[in-house]
Amino acid sequence: MSNLLKLSTALAKLCMLIAGLALIALLGVTVLDVILRTLYKLTNGLSSINIKGSVELVTYLLYISLLSAMAASVEKSQIVVELFTQSMSRRGKTVLAGVYLFGFTVIGVLMAIGSWSDAVDALEFGEVTQDLAISKGPIYFVAFFMFGVLAIRSAIQGLEKLINPSAVEEAGHEF
């Protein structure tokens, strides 16, 4: 189990790195676009440099960052409705969180399968983005990877909570 937890931690770090890089790129595109638009207005149209497809770039970078962050923090993002769990023991809440994580495993697998199918179809039929005419296949492959990581991490974290809920309690994790 400890090797699986190390794998889960490594995948979480990779996903946070990807999310961070996507957010930095997103902010860079946005700031540059605002600067270039302001320059255009200040020069009364003499400076016509712009970023083609900036809205599309920001959209896909946000998509990648959200998928990555979701995969990186799946075990920390459980919302427990106190009304339903107030009478449960801490151990019971941990087991319930493990069951929920297996639900996320199923969702991750189904979304990964759908993303793979979309990626293959996009490559086969030449589907491209609207503004930049970039192939959508690689975008769907990134989504496939992130949903796969979500499924793997959910399964590992759920298994840990179900196999050894008292160890999770001792580690001081909140639900």
Side-chain angles (χ1 to χ4, degrees), residues 8 18 27 33 35 39 64 77 79 89 92 98 101 106 124 138 140-141 149 173:
S8 179
I18 292 169
L27 289 173
D33 192 41
I35 289 170
L39 187 61
I64 290 168
S77 61
I79 297 174
S89 68
L101 284 169
V106 172
E124 183 178 341
Y140 292 134
F141 280 124
V149 171
H173 294 260

Side-chain angles (χ1 to χ4, degrees), residues 20-36:
L21 292 174
L23 279 176
I24 289 169
L26 183 151
L27 289 173
V29 168
T30 303
V31 168
L32 187 59
D33 192 41
V34 168
I35 289 170
L36 292 175

Side-chain angles (χ1 to χ4, degrees), residues 5 8 11 16 59 67 90 107 123 139 143 147 151 161 166:
L5 290 174
S8 179
L11 287 172
M16 288 307 281
T59 300
L67 287 178
R90 186 126 173 104
I107 290 170
L123 291 177
I139 296 167
F147 283 125
K161 287 177 182 8
S166 57

Side-chain angles (χ1 to χ4, degrees), residues 34-140:
V34 168
I35 289 170
L36 292 175
R37 287 176 190 231
T38 303
L39 187 61
Y40 178 80
K41 286 181 183 178
L42 291 175
T43 62
N44 290 325
L46 292 176
S47 171
S48 62
I49 302 170
N50 62 4
I51 300 176
K52 183 180 177 186
S54 61
V55 173
E56 189 172 84
L57 283 172
V58 167
T59 300
Y60 289 117
L61 288 168
L62 181 62
Y63 180 61
I64 290 168
S65 67
L66 287 174
L67 287 178
S68 301
M70 184 174 60
S73 59
V74 69
E75 76 277 8
K76 300 172 193 152
S77 61
Q78 303 303 311
I79 297 174
V80 176
V81 179
E82 194 64 31
L83 175 68
F84 300 118
T85 61
Q86 65 186 357
S87 62
M88 292 179 75
S89 68
R90 186 126 173 104
R91 182 181 179 91
K93 289 179 185 179
T94 303
V95 170
L96 183 61
V99 171
Y100 280 127
L101 284 169
F102 277 110
F104 286 123
T105 301
V106 172
I107 290 170
V109 167
L110 293 175
M111 295 298 287
I113 291 169
S115 295
W116 179 268
S117 176
D118 289 343
V120 170
D121 288 346
L123 291 177
E124 183 178 341
F125 297 112
E127 185 180 353
V128 295
T129 61
Q130 184 174 354
D131 295 337
L132 297 173
I134 299 170
S135 174
K136 283 190 173 182
I139 296 167
Y140 292 134

